[in-house]
Amino acid sequence: MDFDVIVIGSGLGGLTAASRLAILGYNVGVFEQHFIPGGYATNFKRKNYNFDVSLHGIGGLEKGGSVYNILSACGVMQKIKPLKNKEAYSVKFNKDIYDIPNNKDEYKEFLISKFPLEKIKIEKLFNAIGRFSNGFNRFILEQDKSIFNVMHKDVLLFIKWSGKTTYEVIKEYIDNDDFIKLFTANWSYYGLPPKELSALYFFIPWISYHVHGKYYIQGGAQALTNAFVEVIKNNNGLVYLKSMVQKILTDGEKVNGIRLNNGDEFKAKWIISNVNPINTYKMLPKDFLSNSEMDKINNSKIGCTLSQLYLGLDCNPKDIGIEKEEIFFLGKVSPQEDYELALKNNYEEAGFLLTNYNAMDSTLNDDKNGVITMTYIDNYDYWSKNKEDYLKQKENVTARMIKRLGKYYKGISKHIVIAELGTPRTMEKYTKNPLGAVYGYAQYVDQAGKHRLKKETSVKNLSLVSAWTNPGGGYEGVMSGGIVEAQRISKHLEKN
């Protein structure tokens, strides 16, 4: 069968591109190696428990927000039910638990109440974030590229922040490490501590959360993925599961199809690879990409991986004191030291994120079937390739994580029915991402924005759409990349 566009992989970036192109009238085929679509955006079941693999919350889902606009353009918004989080998240800071408000004005007042001596500086920081948001809209989203728009003071601020780390930006306004630690408590969402994380990848989602609201999707990540798949199929597209692509076929200088592991071939006018660029390159004939692209693919530093402990309880989490939706348990040290502890696999002292899915979505599981997860940044190299040693490591780390959780919630181990640990090697197994990476290339300043691998390649009619390419990782990042590339491909195909 011939297609206008073939998408290799069914992560959210690929599904966004596929659904948008299908709505625009193109004949689309999606090929996924796994038996369920979605990449990291999936659910899995054990006994009577429904576990969400990765979704904690999505920003920008209120009307007018970036994600709302993307999902509306893809025909998905009307097929899902967003559930607004009570708070953006909570933070275990020293001996207290603080609830971080969704609303930016309430958040500002909260911070002033905790740091009254920094009141004027906090107000200046929030004012600057507003200017950064306006600069982002003018520079990236608006069509007006006149010199007057590009040289606008808010655009210049956006460009300035784009070249700085999160820590450098905040410290310009508030030189208080306790404030920075609390303000950036959710840095692990993005895979790097504030002193290494590009300011772009902290402040753009910050704006989505605190201006347009942070939400969970009823039914979990799989419900979002299924909505994309439904749109594709309803618009005459096809989604093939358990269909591993072996080769990207070429005709001269351009791509023109794919070959599956079973030998089946499919032709297309355009190929979108939602697979990581390292594996995409291996599907192409030798030396097909330009030298500069190959250098970037091979020499960019891969981002962090995670370990997640999925726990099924015999009670509702609130019955044993877990009432918040999400809590970041911060270490007693700085974010930088906390990150280094995580890379040393110090599960006893490194910070972690506790997610209570019953509090976010009461329909995901029965009231008495509690589901919580513990999420740690982890080090891929720690985990043995030897199966026997690996299983022993999983057992050991599971026990250590549960013991750590028991320090905060006494007797929790007695309520655990299921304990399923997803390790960096689990991440690699199901997504084929090298080193089990969850954000693609690390989101450093020199690997952010315009410095990130481009979606458009030197190979004619081949695009890359994933966390590894511009604009970056996370639900909002990959969906943004997917729809932007879909629009570009549509214009090209229409022109021809």
Side-chain angles (χ1 to χ4, degrees), residues 456-471:
E456 181 180 2
T457 71
S458 61
V459 180
K460 192 173 181 182
N461 298 358
L462 173 66
S463 297
L464 305 176
V465 172
S466 69
W468 301 73
T469 58
N470 185 296

Side-chain angles (χ1 to χ4, degrees), residues 274-294:
N274 189 211
V275 177
N276 69 81
I278 297 167
N279 289 354
T280 300
Y281 165 69
K282 294 175 183 177
M283 298 179 196
L284 288 164
K286 189 177 180 181
D287 301 327
F288 218 68
L289 288 174
S290 70
N291 290 334
S292 61
E293 283 171 306
M294 284 308 306

